[in-house]
Amino acid sequence: MFTVREYTVLPTLPEKLKPLRTLAMNLWWAWNTEAQELFRRLDPALWRRLEQNPVKLLNTINQNRLREAAADDAFLAHLERVLEMLEYDMTSKTWFEDRYPELKDKRIAYISAEFGVHECVPQYSGGLGILAGDHLKSASDLGVPVVGVSLLYRYGYFHQHLSNDGWQFEEYPPLDLPNMPVTLLYEEDGQPKKVTVDLEERPLKAQIWQLQVGRVPLYLLDTYLPDNRPEDREITGRLYGGDQEMRIRQEILLGIGGLRALEAVGCRADIVHMNEGHCAFAAIERMRQLVEEGGLSLAEAKETVTAGTLFTTHTPVPAGIDVFPPDLVAKCLRGTAKRLGISKEELLAMGQYDPSRENEPFSMAIVALRLSSGCNGVSKLHGSVARRMWHPLWKNLPREEVPITSITNGIHIRTWQSREMARLFERYLGPDWSRNPYDEQVWSRVDEIPDAELWQAHERLRERLVVRLRERQKKQLERRGAPPSEIAAAEGVLNPEALTIGFARRFATYKRATLFLEDPQRMAALLGNTTRPVQMVFAGKAHPRDEVGKEFIKNIIQFARKLNVRNRLVFLEDYSMGIARELIQGVDVWLNNPIKLLEASGTSGMKIAPNGGINFSILDGWWPEAYDGTNGWAIGGTRVYENNEYQDRVDSESIYELLEREIIPLFYDRGADGLPGGWVKRMKASMRTCSPMFSANRMVREYTDRLYAATIRRAGKLAEHEFSVGRSLAAWKAALKDRWPQIRIEEVRRVDEGPQSVGGALQVTARVHLGEVAPQDVQVEVYHGLMDGVSEIVDGGVTPMEPDGEPVSGVYTYKGAIPCSAAGRHGFAVRVVPKHPDIVSKHSVGLIQWG
């Protein structure tokens, strides 16, 4: 046999076109329609066939076409215009520089297991990754100094193929790295930049790639190196693939290796934002750095690290949290424990709810919660769910005071909005609308868009969607080996003028993709109606090990066949960001019906609004904040039933009723001008109310104003003078914990025992024995509020109490006044909490004494 050695031949870009290569390597083009149009101009058919990948386009295109473009003055003028736009967006003064000029040189490490920036970089599986990608894009728009960190999965997430009967199969083709906008980073000696991580006391090496997202660099770690064992190379093989041992290795590399990668590229983070618990080992690595390099004790390092770490949780149920057997954690992090100078038991305790219990699992979320100064859920409702879920970690606190806040997710509008709608907005909202997508005043101008223009733009998008779905459907059938008659029939799939409902997301069981099939005959009657046609488009992947999710896909496809509605219901294979854009731009209605309280936020429905679509959703995740009765439809009510079958019946009945009585009639109620006036009014209400509030630019601004800026300042203060403040704070906490048991609330008394009047105040006094605890180190408070049916305070408030006179025999008297602002049955309790200028909050110390 002879040996074949591989080499690559690429087209040579003419001198005038060389800036195209630079442009292609910055994902800024992914949200700039002019840049996309520039690449499309080179070869429209090839651009579509390559799924809008400009790097692959430049590597594949015919050399003669490049010569023609280099001689085309119009194309060169277009190129110059796009380059000027890029230069402006990369160098102009930003919102962050204007608002926080003193922080412009700081760095925020945003670590996530997945990033969905564009489909040509398939490093995402669902909403978590898409959200992370939109976070980076908006950080670039706003100039927030974020750097992204993740892994480079050589096989990405799986490609989905369906059999003729609708069963899902998975395929993992390797990434085509030379045709992706990623760059391998090198040292000065020409060797790839690498980091080393201790894995079971053996070295694991990873090289570093860079993906540029506008102003924001995203660094990706890759273990496919000859230095590593074959099984270790697979650590960056598949996203969410493998067993628990593979998963923990990935998360060690993500958290520990991710921070070392930033060091290797000369970008030490000032603070770390952990997007889900997958990257919680980053906090332990930061502690290791301070212990080994800064000479801090473990307690001092913990204070400093916690002050500069943030954690966003996306999970509303315990089953969604990564937990590992303690023996596995101890085995994989043996070297880390040694370098920290602690026992394996001390290491494990960081992630165990109750370390005293034998074989207590190690939770990544608990590590993140304990080593973060700020934690947030991703919608107001999810914040409440998360506080209830994690209440056991703060069992002495009222549930509403659990230190988990919420920042509702948002979408990067310029990424998801169609060109047609963007141009319409430029005419009526103003040319700079996209630079201020969170400005409600700008969005109020939506009402100025003529109904006819808005409806015509939306109809064009629906027509384009139908054309592309037919093309995709034919390719799917050809790939499956379907008979020619069935392939030809795909030409007539869907109606470009019919009411079109979209449903596309991960086929996790809680999302209830088959809820519309509770009464299949009733649904088939709606889909089969010839006078008021309705059609549905589905897409989504079930996890390879989720057999129930795969059954959901099969049931949908079988329903369409058995009830003869295949022309009105289409399931698209291999859901991706590209398919998502086509759907959310072209459908009329977006269906979302998860089990209540299990959708942390959801962002797919947010993408509908700026494209003229309308949400039809369960009141879960973000929708309770958005829905106002005029801008969409709410499925069911707010009540949650314990019986799941009954809940499904109630919610599915609501779907049918709303479709039959409101949605379908409103869509087909046309005026003398042929326009559905009521429908267009609801479209505008959706655009006006949802688009500014649920933009990622609003979200990133909120992270910055509420968390990033304060955390950078707090972390900087604790690091001052060789961490003297952090050392002092650790010593203060240790001393306070030793003395805390001496605190006793000896007496609580109401000054007036009778009923109170609204507008008055209830006077309360308390006698508190502090022992050796200094009075300036504590705050005495009254916790008060309305009582529920089981004599517990709900939605309590806090009123501080002040010292009253001098102490007597170590006992201090405090007084306070509870405002009586509402009638009803109220209760109160007195408590003592820590007080110090450098703690994040009074509850961050974990000490509280109730009376």
Side-chain angles (χ1 to χ4, degrees), residues 151 184 192-197 203-209 220-225 227-228 235-236 253 257-258 261 264:
L151 306 183
L184 184 61
K193 281 187 183 292
K194 296 176 186 175
V195 296
T196 303
V197 174
L204 170 71
K205 294 188 177 181
Q207 58 189 358
I208 307 169
W209 298 76
L220 306 167
L221 291 168
D222 170 24
T223 59
Y224 267 73
L225 296 169
D227 315 47
N228 292 326
I235 290 173
T236 55
L253 179 64

Side-chain angles (χ1 to χ4, degrees), residues 169-278:
F169 291 91
E170 298 84 35
E171 182 185 16
Y172 291 88
L175 294 184
D176 185 11
L177 286 174
N179 284 316
M180 288 171 54
V182 292
T183 304
L184 184 61
L185 301 184
Y186 290 91
E187 302 284 4
E188 291 183 1
D189 62 4
Q191 295 299 310
K193 281 187 183 292
K194 296 176 186 175
V195 296
T196 303
V197 174
D198 294 329
L199 191 66
E200 302 174 35
E201 295 191 297
R202 71 174 184 270
L204 170 71
K205 294 188 177 181
Q207 58 189 358
I208 307 169
W209 298 76
Q210 181 175 337
L211 180 72
Q212 193 66 32
V213 186
R215 294 173 182 253
V216 176
L218 169 58
Y219 297 107
L220 306 167
L221 291 168
D222 170 24
T223 59
Y224 267 73
L225 296 169
D227 315 47
N228 292 326
R229 298 181 183 183
E231 64 270 24
D232 287 347
R233 295 173 198 165
E234 295 299 324
I235 290 173
T236 55
R238 299 178 180 182
L239 175 59
Y240 302 141
D243 56 14
Q244 275 199 314
E245 192 154 351
M246 177 60 74
R247 189 69 171 262
I248 194 173
R249 289 174 176 175
Q250 288 183 329
E251 297 185 3
I252 288 170
L253 179 64
L254 176 64
I256 297 176
L259 285 186
R260 294 183 186 179
L262 291 181
E263 295 279 332
V265 300
C267 181
R268 174 165 281 203
D270 294 279
I271 66 170
V272 169
H273 182 178
M274 301 184 295
N275 191 40
E276 237 336 324
H278 309 119

Side-chain angles (χ1 to χ4, degrees), residues 259 263 268 285-294:
L259 285 186
E263 295 279 332
R268 174 165 281 203
E285 167 64 7
R286 295 188 83 202
M287 290 169 59
R288 196 275 313 162
Q289 290 175 344
L290 292 175
V291 169
E292 280 197 338
E293 301 166 19

Side-chain angles (χ1 to χ4, degrees), residues 690-748:
C690 296
S691 299
M693 184 60 192
F694 301 99
S695 75
N697 283 36
R698 184 276 311 158
M699 175 188 72
V700 174
R701 288 211 318 172
E702 194 171 345
Y703 272 109
T704 304
D705 289 339
R706 290 178 54 191
L707 296 177
Y708 288 166
T711 304
I712 290 172
R713 291 181 179 127
R714 184 170 54 246
K717 183 177 180 182
L718 264 64
E720 286 176 357
H721 309 300
E722 297 184 345
F723 302 99
S724 63
V725 178
R727 294 176 194 268
S728 174
L729 182 59
W732 176 83
K733 279 190 179 182
L736 187 65
K737 287 179 180 179
D738 286 342
R739 298 166 184 165
W740 194 260
Q742 301 173 21
I743 296 176
R744 299 189 306 273
I745 300 175
E746 296 189 342
E747 181 187 54
V748 176

Side-chain angles (χ1 to χ4, degrees), residues 16 25 50 65 83 88 133 196 320 345 359-360 386 434 481 492 586-587 594 609 613 654 696 788 816 818:
K16 292 181 179 179
M25 295 302 290
L50 299 179
R65 176 65 190 110
L83 291 174
Y88 178 83
T196 303
E345 289 77 17
N359 290 322
E360 176 80 353
S434 63
V587 300
S654 179
D788 65 9
I818 305 173

Side-chain angles (χ1 to χ4, degrees), residues 804-849:
D804 186 19
E806 295 298 317
V808 178
S809 302
V811 176
Y812 294 76
T813 299
Y814 290 83
K815 65 178 181 179
I818 305 173
C820 299
S821 55
R825 180 168 162 258
H826 294 254
F828 75 91
V830 173
R831 68 189 187 186
V832 183
V833 294
K835 181 182 179 182
H836 191 283
D838 294 324
I839 60 175
V840 176
S841 74
K842 59 194 175 188
H843 298 314
S844 64
V845 186
L847 298 174
I848 190 167
Q849 181 65 50

